[in-house]
Amino acid sequence: MKAKAFDTRLFKRILQYTKPYKMRFNGVIVFAISLSIFAALRPYLLKQTVDEYIKTQDKFGLLVYVSLMGFVLLLEVFSQFFFVFWANWLGQDIVKDIRNKMFKHILSFKMKYFDNVPVGQLVTRSVSDIEAIARIFSQGLFMIISDLMKMIVVLIFMFYMNWKLTWIVLVAMPVLVFFTRIFQKKMQIAFEEVRTQIANLNSFVQERVTGMKIVQLFHREDIEFEKFKSINEKHKKAWIKTILYNSIFFPIADIISSLTLGFVVLYGGIKILNGDNFTTFGDLFSYTMFIGMLFNPLRQIADKFNEMQLGMIAANRVFDILDTQDQIQDTGTIEAPIFKGSIQFKQVHFGYIANEEVIKGIDLDVKAGKTIAIVGSTGAGKSTIINLLNRFYEINSGTICIDDHNIENYTLSSLRKQIAVVLQDVFLFADTIFNNITLNNPDVSRDQVLAAAKKIGVHKFIMSLPDNYDFDVKERGVMLSSGQRQLIAFLRAYVSNPSILILDEATSSIDTYSEELIQKATETITKDRTSIVIAHRLATILKASKIVVMDKGLIVEQGTHQELVLLENGYYKKLYDSQFAVEIDDYNIN
């Protein structure tokens, strides 16, 4: 699709973010105007100095005008400082506001959105793309306004001084404007490609660094490196286009400016030597400065317009996310109380992809305060139940109730506050153990955390670490084993004091000591609390009030262990014989 040279609608939307900073915005405009006046005044004073005081050898007048030029220069420097500082300050405030708004918006998205959008792309939008918006104000809009004001004021002075000589200069300007316009259109397209390739590069690097263990385990280093080289090459070629256009345009602009200056000096000089009153030496001196002040801003406007285009392309990508309405509809009006904990699934249908149901009309009843275990093969729909109960995804049809109220009638935040989840894949932030447990909740004290840790049996393990509860687990908790991360997740869930607890209690690759601690933690935190456990251990299954057996999105059997194991050719009996029977002797011994 052909990119627009300038999107007025998008630009107006960006300007909406300047409203809280109207005084500073107006101040930048004022300094831009004063900067252009002071800059154009210096060449005019130079003309007066040459024609009125150097030519007449008036030393006092020369001293006065040189001092006046110095004062004007100080005013120009003063205006330049505040113009640049306030423009950049405004840009950073706007970036801060947009980034806050965008991150808050992202936090409200459904899990389905994150399933489909690469993490690297979101990082690019949230960081580098938003930063590029700041350049609209620091390097784009205000610089263009300043340059245009300077050109207007310069032309006013030039026409006032010598309108005949000024027309000679103006003849060359349409040529430069023509090349500038072509340059802007080419750069718009080139910058669009640059932003696309940056997003692709960020996404690729983010994904491969996150999955580096898989890359190395399966000896994919060379293959992934070749893919990276290909993406990096496209990134380079996108930038080369912008470099090529710059390399062509700026020499052309310099040539036009230099030829114009040369023609003015030559023509004016001949007129002076012939004794014509067409111009003066002061005019020629000042015009050598004026032509640069007229042509350089025009050339720089093209460059600054590129900065604006780059920022607007980035803004368009950011606004695409801000305009995305992919949130769970939080239309509930009931603040979820401390639940008794009864849960009902009534003819619930759900699919992650349209026309591909994962849950196919299940009915499930969980009594308050009881623990149920859900078992089944991979893909049976066990983890999907967790997602639906927390409203991470919207069901296609049916009803999910807690304490006889449809969960859609509860406010989303209050619902999730009463449900704690320990996932199979534990995620820890690059922070201390204490902060990973409390998730920086100021209402949870250190004493509460210590008491909870002692109660579920993980305090000793934490105290064995360097810095204890202040131990930094690094990114994704890499400083801890999988079993230790699981224990931290149990403690995180316990201190939140939920009404309903959901556990995906996988113990694969966990040492015996950690498994014992996890078993104790499970018994403690599920006591007298409604709990749904995706069971991976025999102990949990045997102690559950009810076992729910799932297969291909359906509940195929329900009952206690003793009831289900007696069903000949039953799904659970086959699962038990193949996966759990080996554990029975150990369990009986224990």
Side-chain angles (χ1 to χ4, degrees):
M1 189 174 86
K2 188 177 179 180
K4 291 182 180 180
F6 190 82
D7 190 334
T8 306
R9 180 196 59 80
L10 177 62
F11 183 65
K12 287 180 179 179
R13 184 173 181 183
I14 295 169
L15 286 182
Q16 293 295 314
Y17 288 90
T18 66
K19 286 185 177 179
Y21 313 101
K22 189 174 182 179
M23 184 177 293
R24 203 185 314 156
F25 181 89
N26 293 334
V28 175
I29 300 298
V30 169
F31 282 116
I33 295 171
S34 61
L35 179 60
S36 63
I37 293 173
F38 295 137
L41 190 58
R42 285 190 295 110
Y44 176 75
L45 293 175
L46 177 62
K47 167 199 163 47
Q48 295 296 103
T49 303
V50 171
D51 288 343
E52 302 295 332
Y53 301 105
I54 293 179
K55 188 176 180 180
T56 61
Q57 298 184 356
D58 185 345
K59 294 181 180 179
F60 178 76
L62 175 63
L63 180 63
V64 170
Y65 260 72
V66 169
S67 299
L68 184 58
M69 288 170 65
F71 179 68
V72 170
L73 179 61
L74 287 176
L75 291 177
E76 184 182 348
V77 170
F78 176 83
S79 299
Q80 178 81 14
F81 169 77
F82 279 99
F83 170 73
V84 173
F85 180 73
W86 281 18
N88 280 273
W89 183 13
L90 178 63
Q92 289 303 317
D93 271 332
I94 289 169
V95 160
K96 176 202 68 178
D97 293 344
I98 295 176
R99 186 175 281 130
N100 285 341
K101 184 177 181 180
M102 182 173 174
F103 190 72
K104 185 177 182 181
H105 192 64
I106 290 173
L107 288 174
S108 68
F109 283 158
K110 300 176 185 177
M111 288 298 109
K112 186 176 181 180
Y113 179 85
F114 301 103
D115 294 340
N116 298 324
V117 178
V119 174
Q121 182 175 313
L122 288 176
V123 171
T124 301
R125 301 292 181 269
S126 303
V127 182
S128 59
D129 275 346
I130 290 183
E131 199 61 43
I133 296 175
R135 298 177 70 83
I136 293 177
F137 299 94
S138 63
Q139 300 295 325
L141 173 65
F142 294 125
M143 290 296 183
I144 291 174
I145 291 174
S146 176
D147 287 342
L148 286 173
M149 288 300 304
K150 188 180 294 185
M151 291 172 64
I152 292 170
V153 174
V154 164
L155 281 172
I156 291 172
F157 271 92
M158 290 173 72
F159 270 107
Y160 174 74
M161 288 165 52
N162 192 320
W163 65 271
K164 294 179 181 178
L165 205 59
T166 301
W167 277 111
I168 296 174
V169 177
L170 289 179
V171 168
M173 290 192 69
V175 179
L176 185 56
V177 170
F178 172 74
F179 283 109
T180 300
R181 186 62 176 163
I182 294 175
F183 177 63
Q184 288 171 351
K185 290 181 178 179
K186 293 292 184 182
M187 290 299 283
Q188 164 74 15
I189 298 170
F191 277 139
E192 181 70 46
E193 178 64 18
V194 165
R195 298 311 303 172
T196 298
Q197 295 306 325
I198 288 174
N200 290 341
L201 191 62
N202 283 348
S203 296
F204 184 88
V205 172
Q206 172 90 23
E207 195 172 60
R208 268 54 183 186
V209 170
T210 303
M212 187 57 68
K213 182 180 288 185
I214 299 299
V215 171
Q216 294 183 355
L217 278 173
F218 289 89
H219 309 292
R220 298 273 301 180
E221 295 93 337
D222 292 340
I223 296 173
E224 297 301 333
F225 179 63
E226 289 302 319
K227 286 184 180 179
F228 177 81
K229 283 171 62 178
S230 175
I231 295 173
N232 201 26
E233 179 68 19
K234 291 178 182 177
H235 176 263
K236 182 204 73 174
K237 287 180 178 178
W239 274 111
I240 288 293
K241 282 186 180 179
T242 68
I243 296 169
L244 175 63
Y245 297 146
N246 278 290
S247 300
I248 294 172
F249 172 74
F250 289 109
I252 290 176
D254 287 338
I255 289 170
I256 295 172
S257 176
S258 299
L259 288 175
T260 304
L261 176 59
F263 186 78
V264 166
V265 172
L266 177 63
Y267 186 75
I270 290 173
K271 289 292 185 181
I272 292 173
L273 292 175
N274 289 337
D276 198 326
N277 291 328
F278 181 79
T279 188
T280 66
F281 280 112
D283 287 342
L284 293 183
F285 268 101
S286 61
Y287 267 63
T288 58
M289 295 178 66
F290 274 138
I291 289 174
M293 294 173 66
L294 189 63
F295 279 68
N296 284 341
L298 184 59
R299 187 187 74 168
Q300 290 170 4
I301 283 174
D303 193 32
K304 299 302 182 288
F305 196 82
N306 291 336
E307 294 287 351
M308 272 195 68
Q309 286 180 322
L310 189 60
M312 289 180 67
I313 290 168
N316 195 41
R317 295 173 183 271
V318 169
F319 290 149
D320 278 345
I321 293 179
L322 287 174
D323 292 339
T324 300
Q325 298 301 319
D326 203 9
Q327 296 89 355
I328 295 290
Q329 295 302 308
D330 190 7
T331 56
T333 57
I334 303 174
E335 285 292 322
I338 297 176
F339 290 136
K340 294 177 182 178
S342 64
I343 302 170
Q344 297 86 34
F345 281 66
K346 302 174 182 178
Q347 279 300 298
V348 173
H349 290 259
F350 171 75
Y352 294 101
I353 302 172
N355 302 319
E356 292 186 22
E357 285 192 343
V358 177
I359 299 296
K360 303 173 182 178
I362 66 169
D363 291 294
L364 176 63
D365 189 9
V366 183
K367 301 297 183 184
K370 300 297 183 180
T371 296
I372 71 163
I374 303 178
V375 299
S377 59
T378 302
K382 305 185 297 296
S383 296
T384 300
I385 288 179
I386 296 174
N387 293 330
L388 298 182
L389 190 60
N390 279 280
R391 294 197 68 201
F392 288 148
Y393 298 85
E394 297 280 22
I395 61 176
N396 297 346
S397 62
T399 307
I400 302 175
C401 296
I402 297 179
D403 291 351
D404 298 323
H405 286 284
N406 191 320
I407 59 173
E408 294 180 4
N409 295 333
Y410 295 115
T411 62
L412 198 58
S413 60
S414 67
L415 170 71
R416 290 177 178 171
K417 189 175 181 180
Q418 291 301 317
I419 303 173
V421 182
V422 179
L423 296 172
Q424 179 177 348
D425 183 18
V426 177
F427 187 93
L428 298 182
F429 296 94
D431 206 335
T432 64
I433 284 182
F434 179 78
N435 287 338
N436 267 290
I437 293 167
T438 64
L439 296 178
N440 296 301
N441 184 350
D443 296 330
V444 181
S445 68
R446 184 172 286 263
D447 289 339
Q448 287 176 289
V449 171
L450 264 63
K454 291 174 182 177
K455 192 167 184 179
I456 68 172
V458 301
H459 176 71
K460 184 178 179 181
F461 138 64
I462 295 175
M463 292 302 292
S464 68
L465 298 171
D467 299 323
N468 314 134
Y469 286 84
D470 294 317
F471 177 67
D472 189 345
V473 301
K474 305 299 181 184
E475 187 175 359
R476 300 181 67 88
V478 295
M479 301 302 291
L480 301 178
S481 69
S482 57
Q484 291 171 331
R485 290 196 296 271
Q486 194 94 30
L487 290 169
I488 298 301
F490 271 90
L491 185 52
R492 176 195 288 169
Y494 189 57
V495 297
S496 68
N497 194 28
S499 301
I500 297 171
L501 184 68
I502 302 174
L503 303 178
D504 189 348
E505 50 148 16
T507 56
S508 57
S509 304
I510 292 179
D511 58 87
T512 304
Y513 176 70
S514 295
E515 185 168 355
E516 290 174 356
L517 289 178
I518 288 173
Q519 184 172 332
K520 179 180 178 181
T522 302
E523 292 174 357
T524 303
I525 67 177
T526 57
K527 187 177 181 181
D528 300 324
R529 180 181 281 120
T530 302
S531 304
I532 299 176
V533 183
I534 297 178
H536 298 268
R537 295 198 305 270
L538 178 66
T540 304
I541 294 173
L542 295 179
K543 293 179 180 179
S545 304
K546 181 168 64 174
I547 300 170
V548 176
V549 185
M550 295 191 67
D551 183 40
K552 298 178 181 178
L554 295 169
I555 295 177
V556 292
E557 294 170 2
Q558 295 186 60
T560 64
H561 168 73
Q562 289 78 10
E563 292 169 346
L564 295 177
V565 81
L566 296 176
L567 296 176
E568 289 297 328
N569 298 317
Y571 189 98
Y572 176 79
K573 179 172 173 53
K574 292 178 181 177
L575 189 67
Y576 169 77
D577 290 339
S578 62
Q579 294 186 28
F580 300 122
V582 180
E583 299 179 42
I584 192 66
D585 292 334
D586 292 334
Y587 180 74
N588 287 333
I589 291 171
N590 292 332

